[in-house]
Amino acid sequence: MNYNMRSHSAFSKSSTTPRYKMIDDSSLVNLYKEGDEKAFEELVNRHKSKIYTAILLIVKDTYLAEDLMQETFIKAINTMRSGKYNEQGKFLPWIVRIAHNLAIDFFRRDKRYPTTELDDNGQMFNTLGFAEDSAETAQIRKETYTRLRVLIQQLPEKQREVLIMRHYAEMTFQEIAEATGVSVNTALGRMRYALINLRKNMTKSNTDYDQALFSA
Amino acid sequence: MTKHYSQHDLLRFVYGETSAIESENIVVLLDTDDDFRKTYKNLLTLKVAMTRAEKTPSTALIENILSYSRATHLHSV
C-alpha cells in the first residue's frame, strides 16, 4: 500500500524501526487496521507522552491517569478494529478527545472532582533530557516542570481545556472553536489568558531556573 | 497599508497557524518592534516549557496496551 511520510521535525523516540517512524499517523492507522501491530506500537510510542500528560492535567492523579489511559486505548483499539475510525489523519486529537470524555464520565459517575496535586512516584519519569545538566540543575528543571504542570491544572477550566486541546491534542484554534461551541477569537482569547496566567504564576517563584526561563 | 498584528495573530504564529504571507509580515515585525518580540519570546518560552513538562506513562502500562492489541488481533483473525 502507499503511505505518506512524515516531516523530519515530527520524529519522536520509539522502539519501532526507522521505517515506521517515517510514516504519518493516518497511514499507520491504515496499516494497523490491516493487522500490522508494529504500526500500532509506533502510534502508541509517538503519542504516549502527549496523551498521558493531557489526561494527567485533567484528572490530577497519576494512578487514575494510568487507568484512564488504558481505558482510552482499549476504546481506540476496539474502534479501529471495528472499522469505525474515520478521522482522516487526526489520530491525536481523536484519542485525546476519547480520554477527555472518559475523564468527564469518571468524575460524573464518581461525583468527585480532582483536588490532589501531582506527585512524582518511582514509576514515573520525565521525558526531559537531563544528560547535559549537573544534578542540581536537573533537579531545578524537574521541579520547575512539575510546578508548571500543577499551575496548568490550577487554571480556570475553560482556559485549561483550550490549552490542552491546542498544545497536547494538537487541535487548531478553528477545531477547538468548533469542538467547544465558541468563536475562534474566544478560543484564542482563552489560550492567551491561560498563558498570561501561567507566566504570571511562574514568575512569582524566586528560583533561579524560573528567572532563567522567563528572562530571555 | 501595513496590517496591524494582534497578540492573537502572534499566538497563531507560534502554533504554526498563520498563512505564508502573515508569517512573513510577522517576522518583519519581530525584527522591528521590541514589545512584539518580547511577547513572542515569552510565548515561545512557555510553549517549549509545556512540551518539556510532558510526562511519560509507565512501561508496564504501555506493555499492557500493546498486549491487549495483540490479543484482540489474534481473536479477530
Side-chain angles (χ1 to χ4, degrees):
Chain A
M1 79 177 276
N2 292 325
Y3 39 73
N4 300 322
M5 295 306 189
R6 306 169 75 204
S7 64
H8 179 73
S9 60
F11 280 30
S12 63
K13 292 175 195 169
S14 89
S15 60
T16 46
T17 62
R19 184 170 83 88
Y20 287 91
K21 290 191 181 82
M22 303 278 289
I23 303 171
D24 70 15
D25 288 0
S26 181
S27 302
L28 285 173
V29 171
N30 287 334
L31 286 169
Y32 179 56
K33 288 201 284 198
E34 290 170 7
D36 189 335
E37 290 294 324
K38 283 280 175 196
F40 180 66
E41 195 179 329
E42 173 59 27
L43 275 173
V44 172
N45 284 315
R46 186 178 289 175
H47 298 301
K48 63 185 176 188
S49 298
K50 274 199 159 36
I51 299 164
Y52 179 66
T53 306
I55 298 171
L56 193 56
L57 292 173
I58 299 168
V59 302
K60 309 178 185 181
D61 177 280
T62 51
Y63 296 105
L64 179 56
E66 291 231 338
D67 284 351
L68 285 177
M69 176 135 165
Q70 184 157 314
E71 258 190 77
T72 298
F73 269 100
I74 287 172
K75 201 164 183 179
I77 289 165
N78 293 340
T79 303
M80 288 189 285
R81 287 233 189 275
S82 66
K84 289 178 187 161
Y85 174 89
N86 59 350
E87 294 295 316
Q88 318 254 329
K90 288 283 189 179
F91 177 78
L92 184 60
W94 172 68
I95 199 163
V96 172
R97 210 158 55 236
I98 293 175
H100 181 265
N101 291 339
L102 286 173
I104 300 300
D105 284 351
F106 172 82
F107 291 125
R108 209 171 278 154
R109 208 169 52 229
D110 211 49
K111 299 230 184 313
R112 76 181 177 94
Y113 289 86
T115 51
T116 51
E117 293 198 343
L118 282 168
D119 64 331
D120 281 299
N121 64 55
Q123 287 186 311
M124 307 298 163
F125 53 91
N126 273 306
T127 55
L128 307 171
F130 292 143
E132 293 166 14
D133 293 335
S134 68
E136 192 188 357
T137 310
Q139 187 56 32
I140 292 170
R141 266 181 192 272
K142 192 175 175 187
E143 285 167 10
T144 301
Y145 295 133
T146 300
R147 188 168 136 68
L148 178 56
R149 285 192 298 273
V150 171
L151 290 174
I152 293 171
Q153 291 176 340
Q154 290 170 347
L155 286 171
E157 193 185 335
K158 289 184 189 315
Q159 291 176 23
R160 191 182 67 218
E161 181 182 53
V162 171
L163 186 144
I164 291 171
M165 285 177 163
R166 179 54 269 201
H167 192 83
Y168 295 101
E170 297 182 358
M171 293 166 74
T172 64
F173 288 110
Q174 178 68 47
E175 289 166 343
I176 294 168
E178 285 164 14
T180 56
V182 298
S183 68
V184 175
N185 252 345
T186 301
L188 279 159
R190 286 176 182 171
M191 182 73 173
R192 183 168 158 254
Y193 278 110
L195 297 177
I196 288 171
N197 282 332
L198 281 182
R199 182 170 186 273
K200 190 173 72 188
N201 292 328
M202 285 298 278
T203 47
K204 274 184 190 166
S205 162
N206 288 321
T207 64
D208 292 341
Y209 186 72
D210 283 356
Q211 284 171 6
L213 192 63
F214 292 108
S215 63
Chain B
M1 194 177 116
T2 310
K3 184 188 180 304
H4 174 73
Y5 285 93
S6 66
Q7 299 215 358
H8 285 187
D9 294 323
L10 197 51
L11 200 47
R12 290 193 302 114
F13 177 72
V14 166
Y15 276 97
E17 291 191 27
T18 42
S19 67
I21 292 172
E22 283 177 318
S23 300
E24 222 172 89
N25 291 338
I26 287 173
V27 168
V28 171
L29 203 55
L30 288 173
D31 269 343
T32 54
D33 185 326
D34 287 347
D35 287 342
F36 203 63
R37 186 168 59 245
K38 195 177 164 195
T39 307
Y40 169 71
K41 278 188 174 180
N42 285 334
L43 286 177
L44 204 58
T45 304
L46 259 178
K47 188 186 176 209
V48 170
M50 287 195 296
T51 298
R52 287 182 178 166
E54 282 175 18
K55 296 270 287 184
T56 302
S58 67
T59 311
L61 172 65
I62 297 305
E63 198 37 59
N64 281 349
I65 290 167
L66 297 177
S67 296
Y68 177 83
S69 176
R70 284 191 292 266
T72 54
H73 173 59
L74 287 177
H75 287 297
S76 65
V77 173

